Amino acid sequence: MTPIDILIMAAGKGTRMKSRLPKVLQRLAGRPLLHHVLDQAAHLQARSAIVITGHGATEVEAACAGAARADSSFDLKFVRQEPQLGTGHAVQQTVPHLRDDGTAVVLSGDVPLTHADTLRALVAASGGERLALLTVTLPDPTGYGRIVRNAHGAVQGIVEHKDATEAQRAITEVYSGIMAVPARLLTPWLARLTNNNAQGEYYLTDVVAMAVADGVPVVAHRITDALQVAGVNSPLQLAELERAHQLRQARALMEQGVRLADPARFDLRDDTRTGVRGELVCDQDVEIDVNCVFTGRVELGDGVSIGANCCIANARIAAGAVIHPYTHIDGEKAGATVGEGALIGPFARLRPGAELGREVHIGNFVEVKNSTLADGAKANHLAYLGDATVGERVNYGAGSITANYDGANKHRTVIEADVHVGSNCVLVAPVTIGAGGTVGGGSTITKSTAPGALSVARGKQVSIANWNRPAKQAKP
Ligand code: UD1
Ligand code: CA
């Protein structure tokens, strides 16, 4: 097998995005476009990838250095193209790094959805001796380079839209911007490019006519799926590709048996805070209602049901758990776990370090952070548990909170097994409520309590019999 060296054009400005961020760093499924392209290099088991940068070069280089270290083995280099004088000029910048024994695969940093299989087929079509072009037939080819063939159907060249005659503009087979070609053939062609054309640019596409002139076979690998070669030029196109990508992910999950209520209303993204890949691992009979967003790595056990409009990031949800609608679970780095058969939400919020045991119930407007709840513990309404260790079968009343932060440090609250905390209590940490104890509603607990004790810490009730409420004075 000929070694593969990937050349990624990423110097363009992306004017139509109207963004401060370089175009190739715009995100699709939470991952910069360029990382999607680098993934393709990884799938092809490329020997090297050379990224051609220009606009926002420092930012682009910094962003992909991190990504490549994390997930691939190929050698990653950058070359700068300043100023940007066209795609041919872009590829010329890589020549000092090109090795003659390799096949160069030219990709664009703004074309994220090409299948690895398509690229493999293109490399095979090049076969270490041919120029292979990836082409696609478009109902509206406006703006693209047209594939010009002779009477026998052999490719003769590529004509850019702006340079094409009326007859050539009628051709619907276009160049995708992706080619595979032996480097030893490409290098001398690049040296011969001129900018004698409508745009005054050095066109990479001019190498096709040179190949024909040199008697090098040119093959077109034609695909029908236009999405695979679609580029991102505007926010609208970015959103369209995002939907297409999400639909692909949704279908793949459904093929594994996951029941999505609507594959068009499903999102799985990388975690942009940590770079953790979007990955949804589902056991059997998982059901996911509409409009759920999954971020980072999420595991759903057997029979888990996720209600509509939930956001779930970096979490493990065990078998049989039910997550009711509008629940927000975000494990960030520490992770969040929900035990078997637990009932969460609606409108619940689980934050990093929430570890819930079996059959735990977390109801509406309950927030849990960095806390462990043992099997069967319940907090059903309007409550906060932060930095707490909660024992089995504890019942934590509506409106109760752990006061875990003294303004400088966080402290732990320990609520032992079978405790009943009434409504509207404040547990001022550090504090321990002994096993089986009861805390009366409205108590502010600042001292630890003994097992089995009833603790009440609130103003005593005063009742004045037959009290006359002030009445409005009649106006004189
Ligand atoms: C190019 C092809 C056209 C093809 C189309 C597919 C040429 C001359 N034309 O046209 O046949 O149908 O792609 O989308 O190649 N770039 C640089 N440096 C430059 C110019 C461009 O790095 O000096 C990068 C851009 O950032 C982009 C890619 O190259 O990622 C393609 O450039 P673009 O201007 O979009 O090429 P097109 O004119 O669309
Ligand atoms: Ca383009």
Side-chain angles (χ1 to χ4, degrees):
M1 266 290 286
T2 324
I4 296 171
D5 298 306
I6 306 278
L7 315 181
I8 303 173
M9 298 186 291
K13 187 162 185 206
T15 313
R16 280 190 282 156
M17 288 303 297
K18 301 190 174 149
S19 170
R20 266 182 290 272
L21 194 65
K23 180 166 76 172
V24 294
L25 297 186
Q26 301 287 340
R27 292 175 186 279
L28 184 113
R31 188 179 333 156
L33 293 171
L34 189 52
H35 290 196
H36 287 267
V37 181
L38 287 168
D39 284 350
Q40 294 165 9
H43 286 133
L44 278 182
Q45 280 147 337
R47 168 172 66 184
S48 72
I50 307 176
V51 182
I52 303 148
T53 63
H55 280 283
T58 335
E59 222 180 318
V60 173
E61 289 165 15
C64 50
R69 266 199 306 274
D71 56 27
S72 47
S73 48
F74 56 81
D75 174 32
L76 181 66
K77 291 195 196 79
F78 300 98
V79 295
R80 296 258 175 121
Q81 184 201 16
E82 274 153 1
Q84 288 85 40
L85 303 179
T87 53
H89 180 250
V91 175
Q92 278 172 353
Q93 311 311 309
T94 68
V95 168
H97 301 285
L98 280 185
R99 286 162 64 178
D100 266 356
D101 63 336
T103 293
V105 177
V106 178
L107 304 175
S108 287
D110 60 354
V111 178
L113 299 186
T114 320
H115 287 306
D117 283 348
T118 301
L119 295 178
R120 273 186 215 110
L122 187 72
V123 169
S126 166
E129 53 190 15
R130 290 172 291 271
L131 169 57
L133 306 171
L134 185 63
T135 73
V136 60
T137 300
L138 299 179
D140 177 11
T142 308
Y144 289 89
R146 307 298 205 281
I147 304 295
V148 179
R149 293 173 184 265
N150 68 12
H152 308 290
V155 175
Q156 297 300 291
I158 296 175
V159 181
E160 290 306 302
H161 181 90
K162 287 189 177 142
D163 300 287
T165 63
E166 275 310 303
Q168 288 168 333
R169 286 187 182 181
I171 298 171
T172 54
E173 185 187 7
V174 305
Y175 172 53
S176 65
I178 296 174
M179 66 169 67
V181 55
R184 69 187 146 79
L185 298 175
L186 179 64
T187 310
W189 294 333
L190 289 173
R192 282 156 53 196
L193 291 176
T194 63
N195 61 354
N196 231 328
N197 52 52
Q199 305 185 77
E201 288 181 5
Y202 295 88
Y203 291 164
L204 177 62
T205 44
D206 285 349
V207 303
V208 179
M210 293 179 187
V212 173
D214 289 355
V216 171
V218 179
V219 288
H221 178 70
R222 199 197 304 214
I223 59 169
T224 51
D225 179 9
L227 267 177
Q228 288 197 46
V229 296
V232 171
N233 296 298
S234 65
L236 180 61
Q237 286 172 339
L238 181 59
E240 285 168 352
L241 290 197
E242 174 80 30
R243 270 304 98 217
H245 175 70
Q246 293 299 347
L247 195 57
R248 260 192 201 173
Q249 299 193 126
R251 287 192 171 144
L253 285 163
M254 294 181 91
E255 272 161 28
Q256 294 163 28
V258 179
R259 292 201 290 282
L260 298 181
D262 183 357
R265 285 179 288 171
F266 166 84
D267 287 85
L268 169 61
R269 303 174 181 154
D270 285 19
D271 189 334
T272 58
R273 300 164 301 186
T274 56
V276 171
R277 290 287 172 131
E279 194 183 357
L280 184 58
V281 183
C282 296
D283 230 317
Q284 224 175 351
D285 288 312
V286 166
E287 285 185 12
I288 300 172
D289 209 336
V290 298
N291 290 333
C292 292
V293 179
F294 297 90
T295 304
R297 188 181 160 88
V298 175
E299 290 174 34
L300 305 179
D302 204 281
V304 164
S305 162
I306 310 285
N309 300 298
C310 290
C311 295
I312 302 181
N314 306 309
R316 282 202 341 260
I317 298 174
V322 177
I323 313 296
H324 289 295
Y326 295 99
T327 291
H328 190 272
I329 301 177
D330 185 358
E332 286 180 29
K333 281 186 185 156
T337 57
V338 173
E340 275 178 38
L343 303 179
I344 313 296
F347 298 102
R349 180 168 185 218
L350 306 183
R351 293 173 52 203
E355 286 179 33
L356 316 187
R358 293 161 186 250
E359 313 282 338
V360 163
H361 293 186
I362 297 295
N364 42 211
F365 309 110
V366 174
E367 175 183 351
V368 180
K369 185 218 75 172
N370 192 30
S371 293
T372 308
L373 277 73
D375 297 354
K378 294 182 176 63
N380 272 321
H381 326 269
L382 299 156
Y384 176 56
L385 282 161
D387 303 305
T389 305
V390 179
E392 293 179 5
R393 297 171 300 278
V394 163
N395 198 309
Y396 192 74
S400 291
I401 67 156
T402 54
N404 55 326
Y405 185 53
D406 61 14
N409 297 299
K410 302 265 172 72
H411 302 282
R412 279 203 87 76
T413 300
V414 178
I415 306 173
E416 292 179 352
D418 298 302
V419 162
H420 185 105
V421 176
S423 295
N424 211 30
C425 294
V426 180
L427 308 180
V428 182
V431 73
T432 297
I433 312 295
T438 301
V439 178
S443 293
T444 296
I445 301 293
T446 54
K447 291 191 282 278
S448 294
T449 67
L454 166 66
S455 307
V456 183
R458 64 183 183 222
K460 272 220 164 96
Q461 181 168 329
V462 176
S463 293
I464 298 170
N466 303 320
W467 184 62
N468 289 320
R469 198 183 304 151
K472 268 198 178 149
Q473 302 288 345
K475 284 204 178 117

